[in-house]
Amino acid sequence: MQNRISSFPPIIDSGSKILILGSIPGVKSLEKQQYYGHPQNKFWKIIFELFNEEFKEDYSERISVLKKNHVALWDVIDSCERKGSLDSEIKNEEANQIGNLLEEYPNVKAIFCNGGKSHKDLQKLLGKNFRIPIYLLPSTSPLHTISFERKFEDWKKILKYI
């Protein structure tokens, strides 16, 4: 099969209260070396709107908004083989050490999964009755075709943990 792809390091600090987990970066994100780098992905638009921030294109400013609002970001999958960007094409995956990360950052009080693949994999990894709540949110991917408004409404769940 094709070459393995790898996730990025986590964005987290001692002030993080929630952890958002994707599956693994898509092609465009890997090219840019940025989480949610595809221009049609709604992740950053949702984050900026949730926290009433002026939208920024600059990646370092985006990361600052996450940290300022106590949001950590990572992926459930550390590495895998995948053709293209579809989660359904993921093969031979290796998981990130989510449990270890949460031990190291005990202020994280909830986990939010960006889409079904990350949620399913996380439940396999940590179990369904993990010590902190795990929520499934609709994917911010352009391939997940529900409206922005519906995605945004579901993503508001984050705010009760911030």
Side-chain angles (χ1 to χ4, degrees):
M1 186 145 197
Q2 68 279 354
N3 296 333
R4 287 189 79 75
I5 59 170
S6 296
S7 176
F8 305 134
I11 296 168
I12 192 166
D13 61 28
S14 60
S16 299
K17 294 180 181 175
I18 67 161
L19 174 61
I20 297 173
L21 293 170
S23 54
I24 194 162
V27 171
K28 200 51 113 175
S29 295
L30 291 167
E31 284 172 10
K32 290 177 145 184
Q33 286 296 290
Q34 298 178 3
Y35 281 102
Y36 303 102
H38 193 289
Q40 270 82 51
N41 192 297
K42 299 300 182 204
F43 178 81
W44 293 110
K45 186 172 193 251
I46 286 172
I47 291 297
F48 277 78
E49 214 163 297
L50 278 175
F51 297 113
N52 296 312
E53 297 275 352
E54 183 183 335
F55 188 79
K56 306 279 190 207
E57 290 291 340
D58 181 77
Y59 189 64
S60 62
E61 291 182 47
R62 290 175 171 189
I63 301 311
S64 294
V65 167
L66 290 177
K67 289 182 175 180
K68 173 182 157 188
N69 290 287
H70 313 290
V71 176
L73 191 58
W74 206 16
D75 288 308
V76 176
I77 301 169
D78 174 55
S79 69
C80 68
E81 296 171 3
R82 184 185 63 208
K83 186 172 40 184
S85 294
L86 295 176
D87 283 351
S88 60
E89 294 292 324
I90 291 172
K91 310 272 187 267
N92 301 319
E93 60 195 78
E94 304 268 334
N96 269 319
Q97 299 300 310
I98 309 290
N100 292 352
L101 184 81
L102 294 169
E103 291 296 321
E104 194 175 333
Y105 295 94
N107 288 338
V108 174
K109 301 298 180 216
I111 302 170
F112 294 87
C113 295
N114 186 353
K117 173 72 173 156
S118 62
H119 187 254
K120 185 174 147 202
D121 286 2
L122 185 65
Q123 285 189 321
K124 274 193 242 166
L125 196 62
L126 300 180
K128 290 186 180 185
N129 298 308
F130 191 63
R131 62 180 171 77
I132 62 174
I134 298 171
Y135 296 95
L136 169 61
L137 295 174
S139 173
T140 58
S141 164
L143 297 173
H144 189 65
T145 57
I146 67 169
S147 71
F148 175 82
E149 291 73 22
R150 281 205 28 224
K151 288 180 186 185
F152 184 71
E153 279 305 309
D154 280 349
W155 276 74
K156 284 181 180 177
K157 292 177 187 153
I158 285 172
L159 297 174
K160 80 177 200 180
Y161 289 94
I162 300 294

